[in-house]
Structures are given as C-alpha cells and as structure tokens.
Amino acid sequence: MTATQEPPAHAIGVRGDGFPSGDLTLLRFHVDHALAADTSTLSEAELIDQIQEIESLQASLAALQSTRIRAFARTHVENGPTDLDPDKLHRTVVAQIQLACRVSTTEARTRVTNARDLHAGLDDVRRLHVTGQLSAAKVTAVAVECRDLNTTQRARVDARLAAVPDLIRYGIGRLRAMTRRLVAEIAPDRFRARVHAARVERRVTLRPAPDAMSYLTAYVPVEQGAACLAALQKAFVEVQVDPQPLTRTRGQVLADTLVERVTGQATATAVHLEVQVTVPIQALLDPQSPLPAEIPGLGPVPADLLATPEGTKSLRRLLTDQGIVIGGDSRQRTFTGLLAALVKARAGNRCTEPYCDAPVRHIDHIRRDADGGRTELENGRGVCEFHNHVREQPGWNVFRAPDGIVVTVTPTGHCYCGPAPQPPPRAPT
C-alpha cells in the first residue's frame, strides 16, 4: 500500500467507545501507510521518538488483544455444552487461541490465563498495559507470579505495585522479583504451597541449540541447583591445581565434568549412542556424500563428530525421498516400533500442529481408526500430548489435503495448514 491510497470506505469513522470501525482495518491502513513513508528526511531524534511510540503502541495492542481473548473465552464457555468437562473446555479455548495467534501452546495458555487474571484484581497493572507503559512481557511476569492468588490478594499486590514511584522503569527481572516478594508477604500460605508444588515438578529437559549443540536443563530446588554448581566449580579448582597444563576453559571443564558424572563415563567424549540418520535415497549411490546426520528434534550434526575413539555409535538409516521419510505399514491399531520411528523422524520429532514445536509424544491417526483409518505412514502424524487430546473435542477435525498438507479445522470453522516436512540439506553439485 502506498502513501497516496485512501482507507477503505467501511473503515472510516470511530464509534463512541473509541474503537475504529472496520474491525481494525483502519489501523492496518495506518501501519501500511507508515511502512511506505520516506524516513530519509527524519532526524535521529525523530526516529527514536517514533520507535518509542511504536513500542508503546505494541503494548496497547497486546492489551487490546487480551480483552478479545477474554471475550472469546467467555463466549465459547457460554456457547459450549453444559455437560463438557471444564478442563476440556479450557483446552479447546487454548488450542484455538494458539492457532489464531500463531504461537506455542504454552504461550497461548499464558495469554488466556493473563486475560482472565488482568480483570480479576490487577486493575492498575492492566491500566498501565492499556496505556502502553508496561509491555506484554512485563505484564506476564507480574501475572505469572500472582497466578495462584484469589482476586482480593491479587488486588493487594496490584495496589502495592501501583504505589511504586518508578514501576514502569523496572526491568522484567526486577519487576518479577518484587512481585514474588509481595506475594510471599501477602499470601504466605499460597506461596509456600506453590513452592512445594514446584518441587514436585522437578525435571530435566533437552532442547536444541545452534551449531550442533543442545541445552540440558535441570529444573530442581534452588538449594540443589546451588549445590550442583558448587560441586562443578570445585572440580574446576581441582583441575587448576593439577600439575598438568590447563588446556580447557572454566566453562568447558564444568560442562565436561557434568557429562562425566551424570553418565559415569571416563571422559565426556566417550559417548555410546544410537543415532537415527535421515539419508536421501539418492545419496546411497554416493559413498562420499557430505550430508550430515540428523538427530530427531535436535537438528543436523556432522556424522564424524558423533563418535570418537573412546566411544561407539550405532546408526539407523531412515531413507527419504524429496525430504519425506518413505516406507512403513502396520496392521496394528497403534503406531509402534520402526513405523513410529519413521513418523517421528518425518516430523523432525516436533509436533506437526501449526505453530507448535513441542516434542512429539503421541502418534495420531489423521483419519481416525474408528473411522476406518489405517495404521500406516501416510495416515500418521507426530503430535504433542496436548494436540492429540484436543482434536477429540467436539467441533475439531483433521484431514490430509490433496497436496499432502495436514489441515486442522477448529470449532469456529477456521482452517489451519500444518507445516510441510522439511527436506534435508542437499549435497553440493
């Protein structure tokens, strides 16, 4: 859209409540107009002013979206079956917000809960959000810390925060810490219960990092985390006083010591593992192919780095054609064994629902088994636990389109196309 275009006829005018008519079309017009504007004539100070104003506008728009999320949730609950389990009803609300906002399930769940809590005691925080003085990230930090409070307790925290002179100048970490202290002071019993509940949720997770690396994260009680770090730091001190020359950095020593103590290996590099390797079927004709190995869910890694003289490796090759894992059939009702491995590998071990990148937990029949769907590769898709359950709620449907893309239809009739399988990197010609 150029700067000379006029806004659509149905977008002109503002209703009494200040909301632009045309369902935000006028706002979209102004954004397009600003994008097309010539910035070469603006001074540095003017550009900074606009950047500040845009940041404030983003916060206000997030607040506006939050009100619409709340309205949708309330309407959906009112229109939903009266005999449907509340948890299932909440799940289908979250799933539709996840698709509409193009975010992860965790982020969608946070937005839905924030939209509820901001109207249940956090009035001053919501006001600062609406006026663009608190960003969505800062509001989320406050709302999450107040999550288990009742409306009265939340209002007390809100009033204390509103009394802080320079609240809007606080960073996210400082704002979160202040809110946590207020919660512990105003609702000590709830705070203590939350701490105990969090300890029950202790876990270890692994997620991919750039350059064939990964993040191994331990969610443990704070005193245990401090003890682990102290033990690793002690190991570094012991290496420092060793007469052998120090060839590793402090971070490398800490990381290697962690791997050695968790696995029981003599050295961090003595890894024993089985690796699934997706290989284009055409590459089998070229033994010198430089195609990397692919660890499902963690990305590509040079195959020669997967094992050292100290370790061993076992490679399971999964053949692909044009980037799609091929082969596999079963007469069973559930996906198991190699067939399940093929489905997961084709999905890159990531949920194939649009905008979701959670790890694959379930293998779902695209056409339900109850409807005659077969347990075969073409009818299988890897999904997270949340999306496997939500498709069973009333009004949801999943099917494979003629082009092979899996389509999800929500109770409101909106259709969302899943991501196409990503082809592996090709060898240079």
Side-chain angles (χ1 to χ4, degrees):
M1 184 175 290
T2 65
T4 59
Q5 284 184 290
E6 295 296 326
H10 66 276
I12 59 176
V14 178
R15 294 201 294 265
D17 58 0
F19 190 85
S21 61
D23 296 329
L24 297 177
T25 305
L26 182 60
L27 179 58
R28 170 63 67 183
F29 169 80
H30 285 302
V31 170
D32 289 341
H33 181 89
L35 285 170
D38 182 12
T39 60
S40 61
T41 60
L42 299 177
S43 67
E44 293 182 10
E46 290 172 328
L47 288 171
I48 287 295
D49 288 341
Q50 289 196 9
I51 291 171
Q52 289 178 331
E53 185 63 29
I54 292 170
E55 183 67 22
S56 178
L57 180 60
Q58 284 182 325
S60 296
L61 284 174
L64 173 61
Q65 185 187 61
S66 181
T67 65
R68 297 304 183 265
I69 290 174
R70 179 173 179 265
F72 167 75
R74 292 164 67 93
T75 303
H76 189 74
V77 169
E78 291 171 358
N79 295 337
T82 57
D83 59 344
L84 188 62
D85 185 285
D87 289 339
K88 293 182 177 180
L89 199 57
H90 177 72
R91 185 183 297 158
T92 190
V93 168
V94 170
Q96 292 185 77
I97 296 301
Q98 180 253 324
L99 291 168
C101 295
R102 308 172 191 172
V103 295
S104 69
T105 304
T106 299
E107 173 64 17
R109 188 179 288 112
T110 297
R111 293 190 185 189
V112 171
T113 308
N114 286 354
R116 178 200 66 196
D117 291 349
L118 284 175
H119 289 80
L122 294 176
D123 295 340
D124 286 308
V125 170
R126 187 178 78 251
R127 175 180 55 79
L128 293 173
H129 191 28
V130 169
T131 57
Q133 299 180 75
L134 282 182
S135 67
K138 291 182 179 180
V139 169
T140 296
V142 173
V144 168
E145 293 302 327
C146 297
R147 188 70 81 225
D148 298 324
L149 306 186
N150 58 40
T151 301
T152 302
Q153 293 168 330
R154 201 177 287 121
R156 291 179 61 189
V157 173
D158 182 69
R160 294 280 294 276
L161 288 174
V164 177
D166 298 321
L167 184 69
I168 62 175
R169 295 189 177 94
Y170 280 26
I172 295 176
R174 189 178 179 186
L175 186 60
R176 181 185 294 110
M178 174 183 289
T179 307
R180 186 178 297 134
R181 287 194 297 270
L182 290 174
V183 170
E185 176 186 336
I186 292 172
D189 292 339
R190 287 182 178 267
F191 179 73
R192 188 177 296 107
R194 205 159 109 183
V195 170
H196 286 302
R199 289 173 179 248
V200 174
E201 297 296 323
R202 60 188 181 275
R203 58 189 178 274
V204 177
T205 57
L206 183 70
R207 57 191 178 92
D211 304 321
M213 300 294 284
S214 62
Y215 297 106
L216 177 65
T217 304
Y219 181 69
V220 296
V222 62
E223 70 277 8
Q224 295 179 13
C228 290
L229 183 59
L232 295 175
Q233 291 173 335
K234 181 180 178 181
F236 176 66
V237 173
E238 293 172 351
V239 171
Q240 278 186 308
V241 299
D242 192 287
Q244 297 294 327
L246 185 62
T247 59
R248 295 176 293 169
T249 65
R250 176 179 176 277
Q252 290 172 341
V253 172
L254 265 61
D256 292 347
T257 303
L258 173 65
V259 173
E260 291 162 6
R261 293 188 178 181
V262 170
T263 63
Q265 299 164 184
T267 63
T269 55
V271 177
H272 302 268
L273 77 165
E274 176 181 294
V275 181
Q276 287 186 345
V277 185
T278 56
V279 182
I281 193 168
Q282 297 84 353
L284 294 180
L285 303 177
D286 180 12
Q288 303 300 321
S289 173
L291 289 174
E294 179 87 16
I295 301 180
L298 294 178
V301 57
D304 60 324
L305 296 184
L306 289 176
T308 68
E310 305 159 286
T312 61
K313 66 177 179 179
S314 172
L315 301 182
R316 173 182 288 177
R317 296 189 302 189
L318 303 180
L319 302 184
T320 65
D321 186 15
Q322 303 299 318
I324 309 299
V325 177
I326 59 176
D329 195 355
S330 173
R331 294 174 181 265
Q332 302 182 84
R333 184 180 182 278
T334 58
F335 292 86
T336 58
L338 179 59
L339 182 56
L342 290 171
V343 175
K344 289 182 179 180
R346 181 175 61 183
N349 206 38
R350 293 289 180 186
C351 179
T352 54
E353 193 70 13
Y355 317 118
C356 182
D357 59 358
V360 170
R361 299 299 184 198
H362 295 174
I363 307 298
D364 182 35
H365 288 77
I366 297 174
R367 185 185 181 194
R368 292 185 177 90
D369 176 78
D371 297 332
R374 300 185 59 188
T375 305
E376 59 186 6
L377 185 63
E378 181 65 17
N379 195 43
R381 65 167 187 158
V383 291
C384 63
E385 182 177 3
F386 176 85
H387 282 112
N388 187 38
H389 290 318
V390 79
R391 74 159 295 188
E392 300 300 327
Q393 305 306 318
W396 289 82
N397 186 32
V398 177
F399 66 91
R400 188 182 293 280
D403 60 3
I405 299 296
V406 178
V407 179
T408 297
V409 183
T410 69
T412 58
H414 289 80
C415 296
Y416 299 90
C417 295
Q422 294 297 311
R426 294 185 177 276
T429 55

